[in-house]
């Protein structure tokens, strides 16, 4: 068990790096089958192919490796299979849907890995819900046996849950009675807020190790339908046909292949096609430098399809997503992510206008939705985020969301001494006023200007214009506008200060300040539930030597500190 | 320091019991002055009168004892001074408003005490906001010097913050840079959601030890006005006059004296006038048995005033509040609070009707508001809550909120063998459909029936009727209806099971399941912020031997685990 712990706790050497890139040919745990309008994701976890040593993935239990494949499959469904109109999740194993997150993996993992693992699995499930809400692919979960913990939480992310009625198949959230932790993937929030299970039934359900089966599962709203085994496949198929017939997804072409990312790792960073990551490990800084497009946008949607994964907005979104995940999981010591950009603001805005003009085209829509999810992933990344807006940068439209997602932004006034690059400008476009809501349901600018809607209107009035540093500061679009004399010192002092603070306290501070205003189911999952879960994951009653997570499977009962806090 | 720790960590013997009852004549830290319409609360903390040993309350820093007096003063303002129309908070000390929660107290306190302390101080500040919103007493905070951490958070609870502009006076939230924890009393949420400070300015503010002063404090929305010292008193007075003139509070009588509660402690419980608390310490159960009124309600509001603190609804609310606080702070091992009742349901409903009929009378309104706060305090109590509805009980109207606030309720069908008490009934009244919203802004029944508004309507249609156990179960008003044969075993097994689970996991579970639906600023404070804060309060970066809270004031810098989680 200590091997697992060590493997997960330490920043990994190359061979240990957690890689989020995969493709169907390399899947070990899932099969993505497309049959006309119906896409089926078949869960068939290879128990010997865990991401780390020290545990077997029995009974379709999962670890991060299983979820990386699931996330990849969902993306491919969006981009490579635009003709699919419904998604069915099933198990390939008899009498078990999924036993949830692997307990021995959790017991051996570091606190940081547990927290990052839960965040990623949450993002994947939110992606399934987004697929339904915004891409016309409703989803069905066909539960043929045990769906426990994370297994049931996966079902909760779908639109319709069918449970076989065979006297044994059940749904359960046994985390509390078995392991002294909470369901880690939004289970409590989806039970109370999505399925609206009555609070006392939810209490019974979440404290009953064996869960609920048969008719009661439907009566308590835990599943949508309970069907005898003999009619199960038929019921799943009928529901799939119904969802497919209601879908507004209507692409006729073959989709765009998500080819492997151009990517090379070196000692101090990662080089992608449209961005670079550079680590200053002594300073605990990762600089993410995005590059604007090198050519104007194509003239037609067909040309966009022909460009495929090389189409600049799609390429950059995929690379940025990968870079952020790499930093989250593999570079735990990074305190601050610094966003920089280089390129032509006009070019960036031209691509935004192209996507706007084609917003009813399935591919343009999927690219926008991808950007929305990547930007949310950034909002939810527990590192200090800062944007440096310097001469030669191209923070415009979609890319301007990076400073708006940042905890602070610094913009340089005028030129740098000895540098002939023109002064930095910022530019706004339609992309900043709608398509990329945060998890609180508001755009980043609407969250920013919550105090005074007139400030938002003043920003909107600047759409399409080049905004210099002093104007940007006056409009409230950047935190500080600094001239060349002050720039280096101010930025250095800020980054040093950030690295000197308690990492935990910064995580809590940023999680609270980034999301002013309304709450949504999604923000409740990430704020309320995640925070409680982090707390519990850290308490001796769960992770101490006598705690439930450590003692699970040993035959010894856990010993608890009985004080209620 | 270890003395403090021990004193707070252990369930206290009698002499150590934390007592929430006080009165102005016994205040050591505050002076409540009434000058016509203007009430002034003067903070003048006696540094040698800390609640525990081991620290001095310098610079108007506070501990729980200081906050108990503040909470008491606010209640007296409501009941004893109905002619007051505005509240001014000031410091009696020169050049300092308040240094916030005492750091040495926090460093020495157990995790449980820190969490309970923050929850209580939050409830007190929410009470100040309720005073403004619902009782017509707007509040002003006059900051004459340093307002740091909890000092500024107290100001944030008021409606209008004036800061003296003397080049030194400042507001700050230095918790993160100084102590590696978060502001514990709603500070982050009020900065982002009440005052709507722009997120990047909030980031700068919360990471700047010395805070913000002068004009910038107003520009960043941290205070409402900045006034030179020579004009400060005048500005405070003008604002107080303005708020008083807008107040709709218009009572002409002298108020109702909050006389000392009839209360006696014994080895196994506490006996009050209208309720008893009994501890079964081996089983980790506290039974709170409330007694219905022994006489019909008075005929007129004047008679209600004459009854004063002895008026049954007021008496019971005060006693219930005290009992819950006693269990929270002094009986940490209690896993479950069991609510029982005895009395006539008709009598309880008659009192509710009396309060309804007099709802525009200041005293009836204050009693309703008191019940609202007590019920919220119950919702937010981190113990499993269960109601047992048995023959002879009187869970009707206001008292029916206890089962609706419970995680589960059990109701006995028919009579008990060998007992001639009539079968238990439940009764609903207007009290269940409006006056007592939870912190999510919904009534308990609306939260309960979130899935289907028709269920809420079906319950409403039963208003005033006696509802038997089977009907109550059918209507969804109770979790389980059981007959006499099953009752004892079912209830015993449930309570044993509850005591066997991890206390921390139960806290997290209940905090998530009790509050389905919308979020408000208040629910964000208690859920999102509190949970993060609990987590951070538990992390070695704060409380470890090398953590910031332990090292504060030693001259040694804290050492942090640099991994971001």
């Amino acid at each position: 068990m200590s091997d697992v712990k060590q493997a997960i706790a330490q920043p990994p050497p190359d061979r240990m790096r957690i890689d989020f890139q995969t493709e169907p040919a390399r899947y070990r745990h899932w099969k993505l089958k497309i049959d006309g309008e119906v896409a089926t994701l078949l869960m068939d976890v290879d128990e010997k192919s865990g991401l780390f040593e020290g545990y077997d993935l029995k009974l379709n239990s999962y670890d991060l490796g299983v979820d990386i494949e699931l996330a990849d499959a969902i993306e491919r469904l969006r981009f490579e299979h635009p003709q699919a109109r419904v998604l069915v999740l099933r198990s390939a194993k008899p009498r078990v849907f999924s036993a949830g997150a692997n307990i021995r993996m959790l017991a051996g993992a570091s606190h940081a890995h547990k927290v990052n693992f839960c965040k990623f699995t949450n993002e994947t499930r939110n992606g399934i819900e987004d697929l339904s809400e915004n891409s016309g692919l409703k989803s069905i979960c066909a539960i043929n046996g045990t769906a426990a913990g994370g297994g049931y939480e996966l079902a909760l992310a779908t639109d319709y849950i069918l449970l076989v009625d065979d006297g044994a198949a059940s749904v359960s959230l046994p985390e509390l009675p078995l392991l002294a932790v909470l369901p880690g993937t939004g289970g409590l929030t989806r039970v109370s807020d999505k399925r609206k299970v009555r609070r006392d039934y939810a209490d019974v359900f979440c404290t009953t190790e064996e869960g609920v089966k048969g008719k009661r599962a439907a009566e308590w709203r835990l599943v949508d339908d309970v069907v005898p085994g003999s009619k199960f496949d038929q019921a799943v198929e009928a529901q799939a046909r119904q969802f497919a017939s209601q879908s507004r997804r209507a692409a006729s072409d073959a989709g765009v292949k998500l080819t492997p990312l151009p990517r090379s790792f070196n000692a101090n960073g990662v080089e992608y096609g449209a961005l670079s990551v550079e680590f200053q490990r002594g300073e605990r800084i990762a600089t993410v430098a995005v590059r604007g497009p090198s050519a104007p946008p194509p003239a037609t949607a067909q040309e966009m399809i022909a460009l495929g994964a090389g189409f600049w907005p799609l390429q950059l979104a995929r690379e940025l997503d990968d870079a952020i995940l790499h930093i989250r999981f593999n570079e735990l010591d990074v305190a601050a992510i610094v966003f920089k950009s280089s390129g032509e603001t006009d070019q960036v805005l031209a691509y935004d206008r192209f996507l706007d003009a084609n917003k009813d085209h399935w591919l343009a829509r999927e690219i926008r939705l991808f950007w929305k999810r990547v930007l949310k992933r950034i909002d939810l990344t527990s590192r200090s985020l800062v944007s440096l807006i310097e001469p030669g940068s191209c923070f415009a439209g979609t890319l301007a969301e990076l400073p708006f997602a940042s905890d602070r932004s610094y913009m340089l006034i005028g030129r740098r001494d000895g540098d002939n690059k023109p002064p930095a400008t910022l530019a706004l476009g339609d992309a900043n006023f709608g398509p990329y809501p945060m998890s609180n349901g508001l755009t980043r600018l609407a969250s920013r200007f919550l105090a005074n809607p007139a400030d938002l209107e003043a920003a909107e009035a600047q759409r399409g214009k080049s905004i210099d540093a002093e104007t940007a500061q006056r409009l409230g679009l950047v935190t500080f506008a600094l001239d060349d004399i002050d720039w280096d010192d101010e930025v250095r002092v800020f980054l040093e200060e950030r690295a000197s603070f308690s990492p935990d306290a910064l995580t809590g501070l940023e999680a609270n300040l980034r999301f002013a205003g309304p709450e949504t189911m999604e923000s409740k999952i990430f704020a309320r539930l995640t925070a409680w879960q982090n707390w519990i994951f850290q308490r001796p009653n769960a992770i101490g030597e006598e705690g439930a997570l450590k003692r699970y499977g040993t035959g010894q009962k856990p010993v608890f500190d009985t004080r209620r806090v």
Side-chain angles (χ1 to χ4, degrees), chain A:
Chain A
M1 196 55 48
S2 62
D3 285 353
V4 188
K5 191 165 182 177
Q6 206 173 5
I8 303 178
Q10 301 299 323
D14 258 23
R15 62 180 177 79
M16 299 291 299
R17 186 196 309 128
I18 297 173
D19 192 348
F20 292 84
Q21 296 304 306
T22 184
E23 56 188 326
R26 290 160 56 201
Y27 289 177
R28 296 175 170 200
H29 309 296
W30 295 90
K31 291 184 186 66
L32 176 58
K33 299 199 300 187
I34 309 289
D35 181 10
E37 300 179 325
V38 181
T40 301
L41 259 169
L42 210 59
M43 188 176 198
D44 193 8
V45 175
D46 175 4
E47 61 180 65
K48 296 296 179 198
S49 294
L51 191 60
F52 304 102
E53 302 292 316
Y55 53 84
D56 290 339
L57 295 172
K58 290 181 182 159
L59 299 170
N60 267 357
S61 66
Y62 62 84
D63 65 0
L64 179 64
V66 177
D67 226 69
I68 287 172
E69 291 184 6
L70 174 61
D72 183 77
I74 303 291
E75 293 305 334
R76 288 181 196 274
L77 198 48
R78 292 173 174 275
F79 287 96
E80 299 186 354
H81 304 288
Q83 73 284 15
R85 290 153 68 95
V86 63
L87 168 63
V88 180
L89 283 174
R90 306 197 66 147
S91 160
K93 303 219 188 309
R95 288 180 303 284
V96 62
F97 174 71
S98 164
N102 186 275
I103 297 171
R104 290 174 65 84
M105 178 279 291
L106 283 176
S110 70
H111 184 61
H113 184 79
K114 281 200 281 287
V115 169
N116 269 321
F117 167 68
C118 291
K119 190 180 286 182
F120 181 79
T121 56
N122 269 313
E123 289 169 324
T124 306
R125 278 131 200 84
N126 289 345
I128 293 173
E129 290 178 332
D130 180 78
L131 196 67
S132 166
E133 196 182 331
N134 297 305
S135 295
L137 269 146
K138 284 201 176 183
S139 55
I140 296 165
C141 189
I143 300 180
N144 63 314
T146 308
Y152 177 53
E153 288 178 295
L154 180 55
L156 284 168
T158 66
D159 294 296
Y160 198 89
I161 306 176
L162 283 123
L163 176 65
V164 74
D165 191 9
D166 63 0
S170 66
V171 297
S172 65
L173 291 177
E175 285 85 348
L176 184 140
L178 271 189
L179 306 172
V181 299
L182 298 188
T185 320
L188 299 185
T189 307
R190 287 203 177 81
V191 161
S192 66
D193 282 68
K194 181 179 184 179
R195 300 198 65 89
K196 299 184 170 69
V197 174
R198 223 175 70 204
R199 56 173 283 191
D200 51 350
Y201 287 154
D203 181 273
V204 177
F205 175 60
C206 298
T207 54
T208 304
E209 205 174 300
E210 64 276 19
V212 171
K213 61 188 175 183
K215 216 173 77 181
R216 176 175 271 195
E219 281 169 4
W220 286 13
R221 306 177 59 90
L222 298 165
V223 306
D224 294 285
D225 202 2
V226 180
V227 185
S230 60
K231 295 181 181 163
F232 192 64
D233 287 345
Q234 195 184 326
V236 173
E237 205 188 310
Q239 189 62 45
R241 271 200 308 271
Q242 193 196 318
F243 278 166
S245 72
Q246 296 165 346
S247 171
R248 50 187 165 67
R249 213 181 190 213
S252 54
D253 56 69
V256 159
K257 183 87 186 146
L258 296 179
T259 50
L261 292 183
R263 189 183 60 165
S264 69
F265 291 89
N266 55 57
N268 294 317
V270 196
E271 197 59 40
Y272 294 87
L275 75 88
S276 316
V277 182
E278 190 196 334
F279 298 108
Q280 292 162 267
R281 292 208 172 78
E283 290 75 30
R284 300 180 49 221
I285 296 169
T287 300
V288 174
V290 303
R291 289 186 279 277
S294 53
T300 67
Q302 279 315 307
E303 285 178 46
M304 166 176 67
I305 289 181
L307 287 166
F311 181 53
W312 175 78
L314 177 55
Q315 177 178 6
L316 181 58
R318 291 179 70 210
E319 293 177 353
L320 190 51
D321 205 40
D322 190 68
I324 293 293
L325 288 169
H326 173 65
I327 295 170
R328 271 198 197 169
F329 280 84
N330 298 319
E331 297 282 348
L332 294 174
D333 277 316
V334 165
I337 298 176
V338 177
F339 292 108
K340 295 189 177 192
S341 67
S342 61
E344 307 287 332
T345 56
D346 288 349
Q347 289 270 37
V348 175
L349 290 181
Y351 273 82
D352 273 345
R353 279 193 302 270
F354 176 84
L355 290 173
D356 269 338
N358 289 282
K359 64 171 178 262
D360 294 328
H361 189 276
W362 72 269
L363 180 56
R365 183 168 55 237
E366 286 300 341
I367 290 169
R368 275 271 149 104
L369 292 170
F370 199 159
W371 267 100
K372 181 183 73 173
R373 294 194 303 282
V374 176
L375 290 165
K376 281 186 188 184
R377 181 115 71 197
I378 292 171
D379 292 332
L380 288 163
T381 294
S382 59
R383 313 297 170 99
S384 296
L385 306 173
V386 57
S387 289
L388 300 183
I389 308 171
E390 300 167 283
S393 67
C394 60
F395 288 113
T398 295
L399 294 190
E401 291 293 301
L402 294 172
F404 303 151
S406 296
D407 300 302
R408 295 191 200 177
S409 53
Y410 292 79
M411 190 163 177
L412 193 99
I413 302 169
R415 288 171 197 266
R416 272 235 165 78
D417 197 28
D419 181 356
N420 61 3
K421 288 204 196 82
T425 60
L426 197 69
L428 304 178
D430 290 347
N432 307 112
F433 299 94
Y436 307 134
M438 302 170 66
S439 63
N440 65 1
L442 301 183
T443 63
R444 285 173 192 77
L445 282 181
S447 294
R448 186 176 188 86
F449 295 130
L450 209 55
N452 191 355
D455 292 340
L456 185 61
E457 285 160 30
E460 275 196 271
Q462 300 293 319
R463 261 192 282 206
K465 295 182 190 162
S466 277
I467 304 170
D468 66 22
E470 281 156 314
T471 309
Q473 187 177 33
R474 189 173 46 73
L475 288 167
L477 297 171
V478 299
T479 316
F480 297 113
L482 301 170
D483 59 28
D484 191 30
I485 297 169
D486 294 328
W487 180 269
D488 286 352
D489 274 353
E490 290 275 345
V491 170
R492 182 183 50 76
V493 166
F494 163 64
L495 290 170
E496 283 174 5
E497 182 186 80
R498 215 65 177 186
S500 76
F501 291 147
S502 159
D504 309 326
L506 281 173
T507 293
L509 180 80
E510 291 156 2
N512 277 280
L513 295 183
R514 287 178 187 168
F515 304 94
E519 297 265 352
T520 63
M521 192 177 73
E522 200 173 302
S523 69
K524 278 177 94 162
I525 288 172
F526 285 115
R528 173 187 270 272
L529 178 56
T530 301
W532 282 114
Q533 180 193 330
N534 279 12
W535 176 65
I536 292 162
F537 265 155
Q538 182 71 7
R539 297 276 289 168
N541 285 340
I543 57 153
E545 285 310 314
E546 299 183 323
L549 206 49
K550 291 285 181 189
R551 288 224 161 153
Y552 179 77
T554 64
Q556 283 186 292
K557 282 197 157 190
V559 178
F560 294 136
D561 175 347
T562 55
R563 284 171 295 179
R564 283 288 301 244
V565 176

